Amino acid sequence: MREWCQLNEVAEINPDTLPGNTDNNFSFRYIHLGAVDRGTIDWNLTTATRFGDAPSRARRTVQPGDTLFGTVRPNLQSHGYIEKKHSGATVASTGFCVVRPDQTQAIGRYLFHSLMSENIHAQSIKAAIGSNYPAITDRDLQRFNIFLPRLDEQSQIAHILDTLDTEIRRTEEIIAKLEQVKKGLLSDLLTRGIDENGEPRPSPEEAPHLYKTASSGRIPLTWRCSTIGEEFNIQLGKMLDKEKNTGERKPYLGNKNVQWENIDFTDLSYLRLTKAEQAKYRLKQGDLLVCEGGEVGRAALWESQLTECYYQKALHRLRPKNDFQSALLLQFLRLWNERGFLGGQVARTSIAHLTKEKLAALPLLAPPEPEQREIVRILNSHRRRTASERATLASLHQLKAGLMDDLLTGRVRVTPLLKEAEQAVG
């Protein structure tokens, strides 16, 4: 059997199309381009409609086993697979090509994975015509070359990749749930804190005797009202001269490097600093970096990821005066950002920015130091769990990409890899 072939040799392209004289009362579920993204169809974004009310692009009839291949901006991979039959008819936009396998030669899920592969992606980018809205034609797709082993091998390859997809979706769901839990946890811990048993305090409605009235509302009895300026020394970085020829060449962080709860060392800059500048702008363990411009208030903790590092004008450096936990302030900033509070503190000039004065004046609730540490410990534990799941997700994506590159090109045959791949995903 010839193992490389053109797609149209083993599949029909756009086999069924609604004619223009279709009854206006014919009802169907319509799949538009916006409902499909990188292999996934979001059925919640599809619409139930009648032919008379549907857009003129609603023409491609589909059935289970078909693959939708987005022909507009193919680099976005707006492709999806029709997994099962939904009630009534299903029709897709003419922005898709419908690929229906010849079941004597090809398996639907194998064709779907092939059409999602780097091999097909490269062919579609090369064939695309147009600058603003590059697109391929039906004829282009028909002539794309795919690797097509025997049906039993196709079935094994599809099984491996489907198993990985299931694990990827499961991990994504876990991460989404953890992020949702964190929102509630953050709100509870930063407004109610932790009681002597290590549990979140009951709400003021449930246990009013545990709270007192403050300017910000009801707060735990043992907490006090403060400001960021009272708890932290704030120093705005200096715009450093890139043309300077004197001083030692040192790494330094800019606004782009400070992401929420993470320092991104991509494109790290290096500048020459004098001894005085090194003394003034060198970061220490526990410093909190807060963006002065851009997404104002975005913050990350410096945890000595590098032996030596500095920062520049677009960042405020906050260093505790007493025993306030920098990691706790970071979580307050995150909560304020999610609730839109930080936006009201922005100075509006030609460029929005958060001044040192505005930042220092922000009100801050201060739990006792042991309680601060316990709150930080709980949130860090949750963060580590989420980070672990994200690392798992990255590994799964990497494993899938490697297997697709090997198995969908015939570079590696499936039989010796089958057990290994199944073991890798548990």
Side-chain angles (χ1 to χ4, degrees):
M1 177 181 177
R2 183 164 56 94
E3 291 190 321
W4 281 92
C5 61
Q6 290 189 166
L7 185 60
N8 64 356
E9 295 179 55
V10 295
E12 292 183 272
I13 310 299
N14 300 327
D16 298 313
T17 301
L18 291 178
N21 62 354
T22 299
D23 187 333
N24 283 338
N25 290 319
F26 176 67
S27 298
F28 54 86
R29 180 156 294 278
Y30 175 52
I31 306 174
H32 56 85
L33 283 167
V36 183
D37 180 51
R38 298 188 183 278
T40 301
I41 301 174
D42 187 342
W43 290 97
N44 293 321
L45 296 179
T46 63
T47 55
T49 186
R50 299 182 316 120
F51 183 80
D53 301 324
S56 60
R57 294 173 67 85
R59 289 291 188 272
R60 310 282 197 216
T61 58
V62 299
Q63 65 184 36
D66 291 348
T67 293
L68 300 180
F69 190 95
T71 57
V72 180
R73 291 183 175 174
N75 62 302
L76 300 180
Q77 291 190 302
S78 299
H79 316 325
Y81 182 76
I82 306 300
E83 188 73 43
K84 60 183 180 180
K85 182 173 177 57
H86 293 261
S87 58
T90 304
V91 176
S93 165
T94 53
F96 299 106
C97 277
V98 177
V99 180
R100 183 169 298 164
D102 174 354
Q103 295 184 8
T104 66
Q105 300 187 73
I107 292 172
R109 285 299 293 180
Y110 178 84
L111 284 188
F112 164 71
H113 288 299
S114 292
L115 292 170
M116 290 297 299
S117 71
E118 182 57 34
N119 165 45
I120 294 295
H121 184 248
Q123 292 182 66
S124 65
I125 297 300
K126 184 177 180 180
I129 297 175
S131 54
N132 293 331
Y133 292 95
I136 65 169
T137 67
D138 301 3
R139 182 170 294 182
D140 292 327
L141 184 62
Q142 290 173 1
R143 290 188 286 206
F144 285 171
N145 291 313
I146 66 168
F147 173 72
L148 196 80
R150 299 189 316 268
L151 286 172
D152 61 329
E153 286 192 64
Q154 291 181 44
S155 179
Q156 289 178 328
I157 292 170
H159 173 70
I160 291 171
L161 297 178
D162 285 345
T163 302
L164 279 166
D165 279 343
T166 299
E167 287 301 307
I168 286 171
R169 285 193 297 271
R170 185 187 69 82
T171 306
E172 288 173 339
E173 289 170 0
I174 291 173
I175 292 171
K177 288 178 181 177
L178 286 171
E179 292 291 351
Q180 195 61 39
V181 166
K182 181 184 177 180
K183 289 183 179 181
L185 187 63
L186 198 61
S187 178
D188 288 345
L189 293 177
L190 300 187
T191 57
R192 292 156 47 187
I194 301 292
D195 64 18
E196 62 276 7
N197 298 316
E199 299 291 333
R201 282 189 183 85
S203 68
E205 293 74 23
E206 295 171 318
H209 62 285
L210 299 178
Y211 294 82
K212 62 185 177 184
T213 301
S215 57
S216 58
R218 301 285 285 171
I219 67 172
L221 288 172
T222 56
W223 291 22
R224 57 186 175 82
C225 295
S226 185
T227 65
I228 290 180
E230 290 177 45
E231 304 296 333
F232 290 84
N233 287 310
I234 304 173
Q235 179 177 283
L236 184 64
K238 177 185 178 183
M239 182 58 74
L240 303 172
D241 184 2
K242 293 186 178 182
E243 304 302 321
K244 182 187 295 183
N245 295 317
T246 60
E248 296 180 68
R249 193 168 180 269
K250 301 291 185 180
Y252 85 105
L253 304 176
N255 184 288
K256 66 181 180 180
N257 301 110
V258 176
Q259 301 300 314
W260 277 114
E261 300 187 57
N262 177 55
I263 303 293
D264 181 359
F265 292 99
T266 306
D267 297 326
L268 186 65
S269 297
Y270 288 80
L271 291 178
R272 295 189 180 280
L273 305 178
T274 65
K275 292 295 184 183
E277 288 171 334
Q278 291 178 42
K280 185 173 183 180
Y281 297 109
R282 182 167 181 165
L283 293 168
K284 294 182 179 180
Q285 174 81 19
D287 284 346
L288 186 64
L289 292 167
V290 179
C291 292
E292 182 260 356
E295 185 186 356
V296 295
R298 190 175 67 226
L301 193 64
W302 179 253
E303 298 177 282
S304 298
Q305 295 93 328
L306 299 177
T307 303
E308 184 178 1
C309 196
Y310 302 83
Y311 66 104
Q312 57 102 289
K313 184 180 180 180
L315 299 171
H316 294 288
R317 186 211 67 201
L318 280 64
R319 186 169 289 167
K321 293 179 179 178
N322 303 304
D323 56 6
F324 202 100
Q325 297 287 300
S326 300
L328 183 59
L329 175 55
L330 169 58
Q331 298 303 329
F332 272 114
L333 289 169
R334 191 72 189 258
L335 182 65
W336 295 341
N337 177 70
E338 291 175 356
R339 293 183 173 180
F341 175 63
L342 286 179
Q345 312 306 313
V346 173
R348 301 291 176 181
T349 57
S350 57
I351 301 176
H353 63 285
L354 179 63
T355 67
K356 177 179 177 179
E357 293 73 25
K358 286 273 190 180
L359 181 60
L362 288 176
L364 183 62
L365 296 178
E369 196 268 343
E371 189 174 347
Q372 289 187 39
R373 290 186 178 278
E374 182 61 14
I375 292 171
V376 168
R377 186 195 66 77
I378 292 171
L379 291 172
N380 281 345
S381 176
H382 188 85
R383 184 181 69 170
R384 285 191 294 272
R385 169 77 193 284
T386 305
S388 175
E389 294 295 341
R390 290 192 185 281
T392 298
L393 182 62
S395 295
L396 288 169
H397 278 298
Q398 185 177 21
L399 175 60
K400 182 185 174 186
L403 286 172
M404 289 180 74
D405 190 47
D406 286 338
L407 299 177
L408 298 176
T409 61
R411 183 177 295 113
V412 176
R413 305 309 293 225
V414 65
T415 305
L417 284 182
L418 184 58
K419 288 185 179 181
E420 178 184 337
E422 290 177 334
Q423 289 171 357
V425 298

